[in-house]
Amino acid sequence: MSKGLFDLSGKVALITGGNSGLGLGFARGIAKQGGDVVIWGRSAEKNAKAIKELQSYGVKASAYAVDVASQQEVIDGYKALIDEYGRIDTVIANAGMPPNTRSVLTATAEQYHSLLDTNMHGAFYTLQEAAKLMVARAEAGEPGGSLIFCGSLSMFQGVPGIVSYAAAKGGIGAVIRCMASELGKHGIRANTIAPGYIKTGFSGGSDDGAVQAEEQWSDLDKHFASKCAIPRPGFAADFEGIAAYLASDASRWHTGDTIVIDGASMINL
């Protein structure tokens, strides 16, 4: 167990949507630095597999089935977490649906609202309830805490067709900045991670999220890699470090930021 700059011994982190893909990458980064981990996911099979791996790093790990679109389920999920662990230090609001529309002209109200229910409102409930717990602890004499949102490059770039997805990412990005401003007096920081194109299990990535050699890339991977200054797709393993950093006391004065991790695709000419 690490005792270095990003040591997370004694800290507890929650990652929503943490049983696979990028969310599991965040969870791995925290567990590898000694932090206990709770994941919220709705697949019992994926939850069990993820917990087994996370526990292999020598930490305590648990999974709860929580639908973040339900504010009451979020409240109940935090109650179960506090009953089991006694504290919450870091929350990564990562759960979300992929884009469910193809054009602003054909997007239905049902599609728009169903995605916002999870990606925007669910993230807000998750962050808000965590903030309440962190403020209560600060007022009892122990300030601090880290609120993290998993955004995307659609916060900055116009992407045809994904209006509700981009609205959710941009909206919670604004929420994070407001939280950073309001909660800093309690030592609570709030930041967004904005990933570029990531190759996960859904797009042929490995179960362990490791960086894959070029011969394992699809044509889509190669297309996005060609746009990056570091010419490859991203992998879940590329996000372990930022999760550990933002969960650790090393980031105690880092707040209100949107941290882009995209191989420099946004600035590459």
Side-chain angles (χ1 to χ4, degrees):
M1 186 176 293
S2 170
K3 295 296 180 184
L5 187 61
F6 296 169
D7 178 36
L8 298 176
S9 302
K11 294 185 182 295
V12 179
L14 165 67
I15 300 92
T16 68
N19 60 14
S20 62
L22 192 54
L24 184 53
F26 293 141
R28 285 189 187 104
I30 290 169
K32 287 179 179 180
Q33 295 301 311
D36 293 334
V37 178
V38 177
I39 58 175
W40 286 356
R42 291 190 283 174
S43 168
E45 182 180 356
K46 288 183 178 180
N47 284 351
K49 184 177 180 181
I51 290 306
K52 183 177 180 180
E53 179 191 346
L54 295 170
Q55 289 173 339
S56 74
Y57 301 119
V59 300
K60 183 176 179 180
S62 304
Y64 308 144
V66 174
D67 180 0
V68 298
S70 165
Q71 186 177 26
Q72 189 59 54
E73 286 198 32
V74 170
I75 291 169
D76 293 343
Y78 275 114
K79 183 180 184 305
L81 186 157
I82 295 299
D83 286 347
E84 183 174 0
Y85 288 83
R87 63 185 296 119
I88 182 66
D89 298 280
T90 295
V91 171
I92 304 180
N94 169 74
M97 297 168 53
N100 63 349
T101 56
R102 298 179 66 87
S103 169
V104 67
L105 301 177
T106 57
T108 66
E110 181 180 4
Q111 288 174 319
Y112 181 75
H113 287 288
S114 67
L115 188 141
L116 292 187
D117 281 346
T118 297
N119 293 27
M120 177 179 277
H121 307 321
F124 177 75
Y125 302 148
T126 300
L127 296 164
Q128 181 190 41
E129 294 303 322
K132 292 177 184 178
L133 293 168
M134 291 174 181
V135 168
R137 193 177 69 205
E139 291 176 342
E142 187 184 354
S146 183
L147 301 170
I148 304 164
F149 172 60
C150 184
S152 83
L153 298 189
S154 66
M155 298 170 69
F156 314 103
Q157 299 175 321
V159 182
I162 65 166
V163 287
S164 50
Y165 184 86
K169 296 298 187 182
I172 298 299
V175 168
I176 283 287
R177 291 187 288 275
C178 291
M179 286 185 157
S181 181
E182 180 176 347
L183 302 176
K185 62 188 177 184
H186 301 290
I188 299 167
R189 58 235 191 244
N191 293 284
T192 296
I193 300 168
Y197 173 75
I198 307 301
K199 185 176 176 66
T200 66
F202 290 110
S203 54
S206 61
D207 288 340
D208 63 3
V211 175
Q212 293 182 335
E214 186 171 354
E215 55 266 23
Q216 296 174 282
W217 301 353
S218 68
D219 289 343
L220 184 64
D221 299 333
K222 292 174 182 177
H223 168 75
F224 281 104
S226 70
K227 299 180 180 298
C228 297
I230 300 175
R232 66 167 176 82
F235 296 88
D238 295 316
F239 292 81
E240 294 179 10
I242 192 64
Y245 165 69
L246 289 176
S248 76
D249 292 340
S251 65
R252 59 187 170 269
W253 208 52
H254 190 164
T255 194
D257 198 4
T258 300
I259 303 167
V260 176
I261 302 180
D262 69 339
S265 65
M266 272 216 314
I267 65 167
N268 198 34
L269 298 178

